[in-house]
Amino acid sequence: MTQIDYNKSDDHYVHNVMKKFKWRYFTGWNFTVQIIYFMTCVTEDIMRLMKHTSVPNDWIRRVKDFIFTSLFFPGTLFVTLMFWIVYLIDRKLVCPVAVEVVVPSWINHSIHTVIIVVLVIEMRITRHRYSKRSLGLAALAIYLTAYDILFFNAFITDGAWIYPLYQVLNWFYRMLLLVTSTTTIFGFYILGECLSDKLVGYQLQRINEKINSY
């Protein structure tokens, strides 16, 4: 995001929306969550090595699992599916051709396609403990509310819709899309809770079979 050269394009959307509000795209927020999760995993591994044990401190495991279950899984699944569904219907509504001038296709795939592959691998090799559903959904709700505030603030202050899709919709369908998207993300949280144990490899499940939900 910091290395994108917006001067390669003279497109209005690229300069007046994408460049100005580059930190308000949900894809960027999701990618940031993934980076934080990765750093948490590395911290856990370092703590294990320093203490010469295969059993991590409970608090770091709780933090890692909470980030993954509450934000990582539902956010990543939503970003991938939402982007490519809209892209296949009409790419101008989510990724106009002018965007590819400043954002190469390999970057686009790294933040919209590869992330789902990483998600599946992570769920396959790591058994994540879910906290109380009310707590996980509350954290997700706070996360989405903070994002929505900044999203609508861009329109209120500059009259700009971050996503081209919102530009072609009237207010009724904008609100309907917002409600549907929010409901879908909450649904993905519950889906992750249901799939958590089922996707873990058999041998790994035997090793971690004594780990219970907290």
Side-chain angles (χ1 to χ4, degrees), residues 10-180:
D10 58 359
D11 182 76
H12 177 272
Y13 173 76
V14 172
H15 278 274
N16 295 283
V17 179
M18 187 177 173
K19 180 180 180 179
K20 188 171 185 178
F21 300 105
K22 59 184 178 181
W23 299 111
R24 300 195 191 187
Y25 286 89
F26 193 69
T27 297
W29 281 46
N30 182 66
F31 213 68
T32 301
V33 168
Q34 294 188 355
I35 292 173
I36 294 174
Y37 175 76
F38 172 76
M39 294 173 62
T40 306
C41 292
V42 172
T43 301
E44 180 187 22
D45 290 339
I46 292 176
M47 292 176 65
R48 286 181 176 181
L49 292 173
M50 292 179 62
K51 295 187 176 182
H52 304 287
T53 177
S54 60
V55 180
N57 283 5
D58 190 58
W59 72 267
I60 192 68
R61 178 182 287 276
R62 285 173 179 263
V63 171
K64 183 187 74 171
D65 288 345
F66 191 76
I67 293 174
F68 182 88
T69 58
S70 300
L71 305 179
F72 190 121
F73 181 87
T76 298
L77 202 57
F78 177 80
V79 165
T80 298
L81 294 181
M82 184 67 174
F83 178 85
W84 287 113
I85 288 175
V86 177
Y87 186 96
L88 293 174
I89 295 174
D90 187 349
R91 64 166 300 171
K92 296 191 299 295
L93 299 179
V94 67
C95 184
V97 177
V99 173
E100 290 190 352
V101 177
V102 295
V103 180
S105 59
W106 69 268
I107 292 181
N108 183 33
H109 282 294
S110 71
I111 59 180
H112 291 119
T113 308
V114 177
I115 57 174
I116 199 69
V117 178
V118 175
L119 176 66
V120 172
I121 294 175
E122 173 65 13
M123 291 197 72
R124 181 67 179 169
I125 65 176
T126 304
R127 188 176 187 183
H128 297 280
R129 299 177 299 176
Y130 272 75
S131 58
K132 293 181 179 179
R133 182 177 294 179
S134 58
L135 181 60
L137 290 177
L140 181 58
I142 293 173
Y143 175 69
L144 295 177
T145 300
Y147 177 78
D148 289 340
I149 290 174
L150 292 178
F151 173 73
F152 282 104
N153 178 258
F155 174 76
I156 294 173
T157 58
D158 289 69
W161 290 111
I162 297 176
Y163 305 106
L165 175 60
Y166 276 82
Q167 298 175 9
V168 302
L169 300 176
N170 58 36
W171 274 101
F172 172 78
Y173 286 107
R174 286 168 183 162
M175 293 300 99
L176 180 61
L177 177 60
L178 178 66
V179 172
T180 302

